[in-house]
Amino acid sequence: MNRIFVTGIGTGVGKTIISACVTTALEADYWKPVQSGSEEGTDTQTVRALVPEGITVCHPEAYVLKEPASPHLAARMEQVTIDTAEIVRQAGLLQPAGRPLVIEGAGGLLVPLTDDVLTLDLVRDLGAGVIIAAQNYLGSINHSLLTARVLQHAGVPVIGWIFGGDYHTNEDDIVRLSGYPRIGRIPQAAEVNMAFVRQQAQLLSAPLKALLA
């Protein structure tokens, strides 16, 4: 499973930091095909500053949209046409044979990329396995299990959960009820830098490689 798609149970649950840690743990390349809200900086720029130089290639986005909105809405407002078939084609060109590619999604699985295509559809077309980024907040069990149920019904392979923030017993319930394994947790940090990402990647490396074997 050389394509790993990082999705979230919602917005702001730590997908980008988790993507940086997974990318470092697997010595993979990184790609965020669709970026919206680019005026505040891009996730690719964030990851590029956090992963080891000379090991990871952070590929340029296929689509960069200024509006901080769902991709289909931002694209409509900016008169851009997102072609998900082109995203799949680019993935094949970007990824050398046998080299892992970490793909970060925009928001959650049911975020529309176009008027007709959801993020879930793109995940299936890419043939990627999914890592679910989750964080504890009021309602997070529901959001987590809805995400898991959608993946189960779609028949998409799931690698497991990576939780962000402080431990809460909610994550034990999420793991048990979903049937998907816990890969690890990225704790809150006063400063997220390359050293922090490298430390977290070391902790994630063994469980990730075991689940991907």
Side-chain angles (χ1 to χ4, degrees), residues 43-92:
D43 294 330
T44 302
Q45 291 169 335
T46 298
V47 172
R48 187 178 289 121
L50 294 173
V51 297
E53 296 179 11
I55 297 175
T56 291
V57 176
C58 293
H59 298 287
E61 303 88 344
Y63 299 93
V64 179
L65 305 162
K66 293 181 181 179
E67 189 67 25
S70 66
H72 84 301
L73 179 57
R76 186 187 302 159
M77 295 172 69
E78 297 173 36
Q79 298 184 326
V80 172
T81 299
I82 294 176
D83 183 348
T84 55
E86 174 61 19
I87 292 174
V88 174
R89 189 189 73 83
Q90 285 191 30

Side-chain angles (χ1 to χ4, degrees), residues 4 18 20-28 131 159 162 182-186 197-213:
I4 297 138
I18 286 173
C21 293
V22 171
T23 297
T24 302
L26 297 177
E27 296 187 349
I131 288 175
I159 300 161
I162 296 181
R182 175 177 17 222
I183 301 168
R185 183 188 315 104
I186 309 298
V197 167
R198 188 181 296 114
Q199 179 188 54
Q200 299 309 311
Q202 289 174 348
L203 297 173
L204 294 174
S205 179
L208 264 176
K209 290 175 180 177
L211 289 166
L212 290 169

Side-chain angles (χ1 to χ4, degrees), residues 190-201:
E191 180 183 2
V192 176
N193 53 28
M194 191 179 291
F196 174 81
V197 167
R198 188 181 296 114
Q199 179 188 54
Q200 299 309 311

